[in-house]
mmCIF file of all heavy atoms in Angstrom:
data_model
loop_
_atom_site.group_PDB
_atom_site.id
_atom_site.type_symbol
_atom_site.label_atom_id
_atom_site.label_comp_id
_atom_site.label_asym_id
_atom_site.label_seq_id
_atom_site.Cartn_x
_atom_site.Cartn_y
_atom_site.Cartn_z
ATOM 1 N N PRO A 116 -6.364 11.029 28.701
ATOM 2 C CA PRO A 116 -7.621 11.675 29.126
ATOM 3 C C PRO A 116 -7.475 13.189 29.296
ATOM 4 O O PRO A 116 -8.422 13.911 29.231
ATOM 5 C CB PRO A 116 -7.894 10.999 30.492
ATOM 6 C CG PRO A 116 -6.579 10.522 30.950
ATOM 7 C CD PRO A 116 -5.810 10.138 29.717
ATOM 8 N N GLN A 117 -6.224 13.664 29.484
ATOM 9 C CA GLN A 117 -6.017 15.084 29.653
ATOM 10 C C GLN A 117 -6.148 15.906 28.392
ATOM 11 O O GLN A 117 -6.278 17.068 28.395
ATOM 12 C CB GLN A 117 -4.662 15.340 30.287
ATOM 13 C CG GLN A 117 -3.402 15.065 29.428
ATOM 14 C CD GLN A 117 -3.067 13.633 29.340
ATOM 15 O OE1 GLN A 117 -3.819 12.790 29.734
ATOM 16 N NE2 GLN A 117 -1.858 13.311 28.843
ATOM 17 N N VAL A 118 -6.046 15.224 27.222
ATOM 18 C CA VAL A 118 -6.206 15.922 25.953
ATOM 19 C C VAL A 118 -7.219 15.189 25.058
ATOM 20 O O VAL A 118 -6.906 14.720 23.979
ATOM 21 C CB VAL A 118 -4.831 16.037 25.212
ATOM 22 C CG1 VAL A 118 -3.977 17.083 25.829
ATOM 23 C CG2 VAL A 118 -4.112 14.701 25.166
ATOM 24 N N PRO A 119 -8.486 15.171 25.454
ATOM 25 C CA PRO A 119 -9.462 14.387 24.721
ATOM 26 C C PRO A 119 -9.811 14.965 23.356
ATOM 27 O O PRO A 119 -10.476 14.272 22.570
ATOM 28 C CB PRO A 119 -10.656 14.438 25.665
ATOM 29 C CG PRO A 119 -10.510 15.658 26.450
ATOM 30 C CD PRO A 119 -9.052 15.850 26.601
ATOM 31 N N ASP A 120 -9.435 16.190 23.042
ATOM 32 C CA ASP A 120 -9.856 16.797 21.816
ATOM 33 C C ASP A 120 -8.767 16.777 20.741
ATOM 34 O O ASP A 120 -8.933 17.356 19.673
ATOM 35 C CB ASP A 120 -10.264 18.244 22.001
ATOM 36 C CG ASP A 120 -11.503 18.337 22.901
ATOM 37 O OD1 ASP A 120 -12.380 17.428 22.772
ATOM 38 O OD2 ASP A 120 -11.609 19.265 23.714
ATOM 39 N N VAL A 121 -7.646 16.104 20.975
ATOM 40 C CA VAL A 121 -6.558 16.037 20.030
ATOM 41 C C VAL A 121 -6.925 15.015 18.916
ATOM 42 O O VAL A 121 -7.306 13.915 19.187
ATOM 43 C CB VAL A 121 -5.247 15.642 20.710
ATOM 44 C CG1 VAL A 121 -4.134 15.503 19.679
ATOM 45 C CG2 VAL A 121 -4.869 16.662 21.747
ATOM 46 N N SER A 122 -6.755 15.445 17.709
ATOM 47 C CA SER A 122 -6.977 14.532 16.541
ATOM 48 C C SER A 122 -5.891 13.435 16.563
ATOM 49 O O SER A 122 -4.746 13.717 16.967
ATOM 50 C CB SER A 122 -6.944 15.254 15.217
ATOM 51 O OG SER A 122 -8.052 16.131 15.152
ATOM 52 N N CYS A 123 -6.215 12.281 16.087
ATOM 53 C CA CYS A 123 -5.304 11.153 16.218
ATOM 54 C C CYS A 123 -5.243 10.381 14.919
ATOM 55 O O CYS A 123 -6.251 9.777 14.478
ATOM 56 C CB CYS A 123 -5.735 10.212 17.336
ATOM 57 S SG CYS A 123 -4.701 8.791 17.601
ATOM 58 N N LEU A 124 -4.105 10.366 14.257
ATOM 59 C CA LEU A 124 -3.877 9.544 13.109
ATOM 60 C C LEU A 124 -3.357 8.220 13.636
ATOM 61 O O LEU A 124 -2.448 8.210 14.415
ATOM 62 C CB LEU A 124 -2.874 10.191 12.165
ATOM 63 C CG LEU A 124 -2.447 9.439 10.923
ATOM 64 C CD1 LEU A 124 -3.619 9.265 10.019
ATOM 65 C CD2 LEU A 124 -1.312 10.078 10.255
ATOM 66 N N ILE A 125 -3.889 7.113 13.149
ATOM 67 C CA ILE A 125 -3.445 5.837 13.615
ATOM 68 C C ILE A 125 -2.938 4.926 12.500
ATOM 69 O O ILE A 125 -3.365 5.084 11.369
ATOM 70 C CB ILE A 125 -4.496 5.108 14.482
ATOM 71 C CG1 ILE A 125 -5.767 4.830 13.641
ATOM 72 C CG2 ILE A 125 -4.922 5.885 15.695
ATOM 73 C CD1 ILE A 125 -6.847 4.063 14.419
ATOM 74 N N LEU A 126 -2.099 4.007 12.876
ATOM 75 C CA LEU A 126 -1.592 2.987 11.920
ATOM 76 C C LEU A 126 -1.907 1.625 12.459
ATOM 77 O O LEU A 126 -1.656 1.286 13.613
ATOM 78 C CB LEU A 126 -0.060 3.111 11.795
ATOM 79 C CG LEU A 126 0.608 2.096 10.847
ATOM 80 C CD1 LEU A 126 0.271 2.343 9.389
ATOM 81 C CD2 LEU A 126 2.103 2.060 11.070
ATOM 82 N N ALA A 127 -2.477 0.753 11.613
ATOM 83 C CA ALA A 127 -2.746 -0.594 11.951
ATOM 84 C C ALA A 127 -1.671 -1.520 11.318
ATOM 85 O O ALA A 127 -1.331 -1.307 10.125
ATOM 86 C CB ALA A 127 -4.143 -1.055 11.463
ATOM 87 N N THR A 128 -1.164 -2.491 12.077
ATOM 88 C CA THR A 128 -0.135 -3.407 11.576
ATOM 89 C C THR A 128 -0.647 -4.798 11.748
ATOM 90 O O THR A 128 -1.065 -5.229 12.784
ATOM 91 C CB THR A 128 1.172 -3.223 12.307
ATOM 92 O OG1 THR A 128 0.957 -3.374 13.725
ATOM 93 C CG2 THR A 128 1.753 -1.822 12.078
ATOM 94 N N GLY A 129 -0.577 -5.577 10.626
ATOM 95 C CA GLY A 129 -1.001 -7.002 10.672
ATOM 96 C C GLY A 129 0.168 -7.890 10.800
ATOM 97 O O GLY A 129 1.121 -7.789 10.017
ATOM 98 N N LEU A 130 0.159 -8.780 11.748
ATOM 99 C CA LEU A 130 1.310 -9.537 12.149
ATOM 100 C C LEU A 130 1.278 -10.999 11.813
ATOM 101 O O LEU A 130 0.238 -11.585 11.524
ATOM 102 C CB LEU A 130 1.531 -9.330 13.663
ATOM 103 C CG LEU A 130 1.618 -7.875 14.164
ATOM 104 C CD1 LEU A 130 1.871 -7.872 15.649
ATOM 105 C CD2 LEU A 130 2.591 -7.057 13.382
ATOM 106 N N ASN A 131 2.423 -11.637 11.942
ATOM 107 C CA ASN A 131 2.639 -13.018 11.579
ATOM 108 C C ASN A 131 1.812 -13.984 12.469
ATOM 109 O O ASN A 131 1.488 -15.107 12.042
ATOM 110 C CB ASN A 131 4.125 -13.353 11.657
ATOM 111 C CG ASN A 131 4.531 -14.599 10.896
ATOM 112 O OD1 ASN A 131 4.431 -14.652 9.704
ATOM 113 N ND2 ASN A 131 4.960 -15.599 11.616
ATOM 114 N N ASP A 132 1.581 -13.618 13.717
ATOM 115 C CA ASP A 132 0.913 -14.504 14.645
ATOM 116 C C ASP A 132 -0.575 -14.288 14.682
ATOM 117 O O ASP A 132 -1.275 -14.809 15.510
ATOM 118 C CB ASP A 132 1.506 -14.305 16.077
ATOM 119 C CG ASP A 132 1.252 -12.893 16.609
ATOM 120 O OD1 ASP A 132 0.767 -12.036 15.868
ATOM 121 O OD2 ASP A 132 1.582 -12.681 17.787
ATOM 122 N N GLY A 133 -1.132 -13.480 13.755
ATOM 123 C CA GLY A 133 -2.564 -13.272 13.714
ATOM 124 C C GLY A 133 -3.056 -12.068 14.510
ATOM 125 O O GLY A 133 -4.219 -11.696 14.451
ATOM 126 N N GLN A 134 -2.094 -11.399 15.198
ATOM 127 C CA GLN A 134 -2.449 -10.202 15.974
ATOM 128 C C GLN A 134 -2.489 -8.967 15.046
ATOM 129 O O GLN A 134 -1.827 -8.925 14.019
ATOM 130 C CB GLN A 134 -1.446 -9.960 17.117
ATOM 131 C CG GLN A 134 -1.330 -11.113 18.068
ATOM 132 C CD GLN A 134 -2.511 -11.227 18.995
ATOM 133 O OE1 GLN A 134 -2.907 -10.244 19.585
ATOM 134 N NE2 GLN A 134 -3.082 -12.422 19.121
#
Side-chain angles (χ1 to χ4, degrees):
Q117 70 278 15
V118 283
D120 295 326
V121 176
S122 294
C123 179
L124 177 66
I125 62 177
L126 177 73
T128 55
L130 307 182
N131 198 65
D132 63 354
Q134 302 287 309

